[in-house]
Amino acid sequence: MEDKQIIGLFFERSESAISEVQKKYSSYCFSIANNILHEKSESEECLNDTYLAAWNSIPPNNPENLAAFLGKLTRNISLKRFRNHTAKKRGGEETALILDEIDECFTVYDNVENQLMLSELVDILNDFLEELPLSERRVFIRRYWYFETVKDVAAFYGYSESKVKMILKRSRDKLRTTLSKEGYGI
């Protein structure tokens, strides 16, 4: 079933929307959750939470890209669940490591006054990603959006782990420089 048809089912409030999402996107969403949580049962619970969140947010939302919308819901739900557990519990060391790596580049802007700065930061990050060479951008996104291990990223692209680590380090350095030039230095 096409995404527009699935979204139409959500707007009709048809429960078959959830079953169609499960058929088409369960493995995609599960891989995102499991890369963050490293626990099958926790990841499956996140999938159920994702389906509920999609049900509650479509409508009023009408996503242009259903996969990206569901991926973002899954990622946010999984990160929230991860934060509610200790990093050591249930194999979360890899997730904690990834968050630590990227935290080097960002300061948290979570109060109301800083929402405008956060929006600007998102624009800067999007511009930064567009300027990265495609291969570097793909490595960066697989690591920091999908929370894949360095080993998995290397295997996917046929790179050595040291090459992936170097690409990531250089990308983080470029990001740090970009953020500093824009007044977001740490």
Side-chain angles (χ1 to χ4, degrees):
M1 182 175 276
E2 295 294 318
D3 287 355
K4 291 205 179 286
Q5 294 171 307
I6 296 171
I7 293 168
L9 292 173
F10 277 105
F11 274 87
E12 294 168 8
R13 304 314 286 162
S14 171
E15 291 181 20
S16 63
I18 300 298
S19 61
E20 292 299 326
V21 164
Q22 287 174 318
K23 284 182 208 172
K24 191 166 183 179
Y25 292 110
S26 64
S27 62
Y28 167 69
C29 292
F30 179 83
S31 69
I32 293 170
N34 202 48
N35 283 343
I36 295 170
L37 298 169
H38 305 284
E39 170 61 40
K40 183 179 179 187
S41 63
E42 290 282 328
S43 299
E44 288 170 349
E45 285 183 38
C46 283
L47 285 185
N48 292 329
D49 292 344
T50 298
Y51 304 144
L52 178 62
W55 182 262
N56 289 333
S57 61
I58 305 173
N61 291 309
N62 187 2
E64 287 183 35
N65 184 327
L66 185 58
F69 183 80
L70 294 169
K72 183 176 180 180
L73 287 175
T74 304
R75 184 178 187 275
N76 290 342
I77 289 166
S78 300
L79 284 171
K80 184 176 181 181
R81 187 174 292 255
F82 172 80
R83 287 183 189 110
N84 288 335
H85 296 7
T86 63
K88 298 279 183 196
K89 196 174 185 180
R90 301 184 187 173
E93 294 87 358
E94 185 69 25
T95 303
L97 175 64
I98 293 169
L99 291 172
D100 286 345
E101 286 175 6
I102 201 67
D103 273 352
E104 296 173 0
C105 302
F106 292 99
T107 305
V108 176
Y109 297 98
D110 60 358
N111 66 34
V112 176
E113 293 175 9
N114 291 323
Q115 289 303 309
L116 183 59
M117 288 193 316
L118 181 58
S119 176
E120 184 178 295
L121 212 79
V122 168
D123 291 340
I124 292 167
L125 182 58
N126 285 334
D127 291 344
F128 165 77
L129 288 171
E130 285 181 22
E131 292 174 10
L132 279 181
L134 184 59
S135 60
E136 291 178 30
R137 182 181 336 143
R138 287 179 174 165
V139 167
F140 191 89
I141 288 171
R142 290 189 85 89
R143 178 69 171 162
Y144 298 120
W145 177 257
Y146 291 109
F147 283 77
E148 291 185 5
T149 64
V150 169
K151 182 178 180 179
D152 289 344
V153 174
F156 186 85
Y157 291 113
Y159 297 159
S160 68
E161 288 183 40
S162 61
K163 179 175 181 173
V164 169
K165 287 177 184 177
M166 186 54 64
I167 289 170
L168 292 170
K169 176 161 183 3
R170 288 179 180 159
S171 296
R172 286 192 313 269
D173 290 345
K174 288 177 192 175
L175 177 58
R176 197 175 298 110
T177 299
T178 298
L179 292 171
S180 182
K181 285 180 185 174
E182 296 291 336
Y184 290 95
I186 295 180

